[in-house]
Amino acid sequence: MNFNENQDHTIPKTHPRYQSLKYRYKIIEGMKNLVVAEAGLIAHGRGECFDYIIGEKTTEIAKKAIYAAVASILLADRPVISVNGNVAALVPRELVLLSNIINIPLEINLFYQKEGRVKAIKNELQKAGAKEIYGIDPKKMTELYGLDSNRKKVELIADADLVMVPLEDGDRTEALKKLNKKVIAVDLNPLSRTSLWADITIVDNIVRTIPEMIKVAKEIGKLDNFQLREIVNKFDNKINIQNSLNSIVEYIKRQKKKHLKQ
Ligand code: ATP
Ligand code: MG
């Protein structure tokens, strides 16, 4: 894929940071199209920083969390994926595919409301093939208890038993937990409030996580509830976060040895 910055600068595929730059420009394009909020650029940069010290690939630890996440979604009665601008800009097609494969609806939920943003995100998801998108019609929305920001306005999330929150803010994760909902977070920072509050924290980049979830869904989609429950019960999020932190430390040590020969 080619992508341009200001139409005149094509990044060659051989560029060592091609992938990272590709997604950076998707975020910039998203901002120009209203899909991404200005603050979304900063959130993306915060994520990139952690991705660097994770090694920019899905770790075995994240894969375990992904199995637990997919199994939990398959077991849930009323699961929902909460979609924000960054996610819609980065992986719209994959998101719609996942939604179809494991039968989990998509609900737009934004921290930064701006005239036309919900519509821009809706268009992005529809272009990617989404048939039904929630969180659009104010008449169908209710308010989530315990939250002051814009994100309190919800549709299916109000009655969901499980909410997957990619790139979420800590306040809402806390509010969702206090309402006894099961929360799956995708967050590159293992120490964010979201990561610490969630039941299942996938410490990985959303651009890798969603395709990996699709793979896992195809693999375990036919298991019975007993087998799915076994996957979920084996998973411990505290250990998962500890392991994620250890793997960052190990990665940095390996890089230090490799480049500084100490
Ligand atoms: P919290 O509110 O949970 O304490 P925060 O305030 O540090 O987190 P926010 O700006 O609220 O961060 O949310 C953005 C989060 O999303 C950050 O933790 C960042 O690491 C993460 N993030 C950004 N881009 C990605 C991505 N592509 N994949 C996964 N996580 C990402
Ligand atoms: Mg925050």
Side-chain angles (χ1 to χ4, degrees), residues 42-52 54 187-189 205:
I42 297 165
H44 185 78
R46 189 175 273 171
E48 280 182 337
C49 176
F50 282 98
D51 209 9
Y52 216 107
I54 279 165
D187 195 325
L188 279 157
N189 176 5
N205 197 320

Side-chain angles (χ1 to χ4, degrees), residues 106-122:
L106 303 173
E107 176 162 337
I108 299 173
N109 187 270
L110 307 176
F111 193 88
Y112 298 97
Q113 297 277 354
K114 189 176 178 180
E115 184 76 33
R117 269 198 78 214
V118 170
K119 196 164 164 228
I121 295 173
K122 183 184 112 186

Side-chain angles (χ1 to χ4, degrees), residues 46 111 168-171 192-194:
R46 189 175 273 171
F111 193 88
E168 181 63 74
D169 180 58
D171 284 18
S192 73
R193 289 170 308 148
T194 293

Side-chain angles (χ1 to χ4, degrees), residues 174-189:
E174 184 178 346
L176 291 170
K177 271 319 301 166
K178 287 187 173 158
L179 291 169
N180 276 329
K181 297 178 192 301
K182 187 159 187 162
V183 175
I184 298 170
V186 183
D187 195 325
L188 279 157
N189 176 5

Side-chain angles (χ1 to χ4, degrees), residues 187-223:
D187 195 325
L188 279 157
N189 176 5
L191 289 175
S192 73
R193 289 170 308 148
T194 293
S195 289
L196 297 173
W197 270 102
D199 296 281
I200 299 173
T201 305
I202 302 167
V203 181
D204 193 23
N205 197 320
I206 190 72
V207 304
R208 297 187 299 265
T209 300
I210 302 288
E212 191 65 32
M213 285 180 82
I214 292 170
K215 254 202 271 172
V216 170
K218 286 178 183 163
E219 188 192 323
I220 68 170
K222 296 251 154 55
L223 297 184

Side-chain angles (χ1 to χ4, degrees), residues 64 91 120 122 127 140 152 172 180 183 193 257:
K64 276 192 195 158
V91 276
K122 183 184 112 186
K127 257 197 316 192
K140 294 183 181 161
K152 69 181 170 203
R172 199 170 70 120
N180 276 329
V183 175
R193 289 170 308 148
K257 215 168 170 180

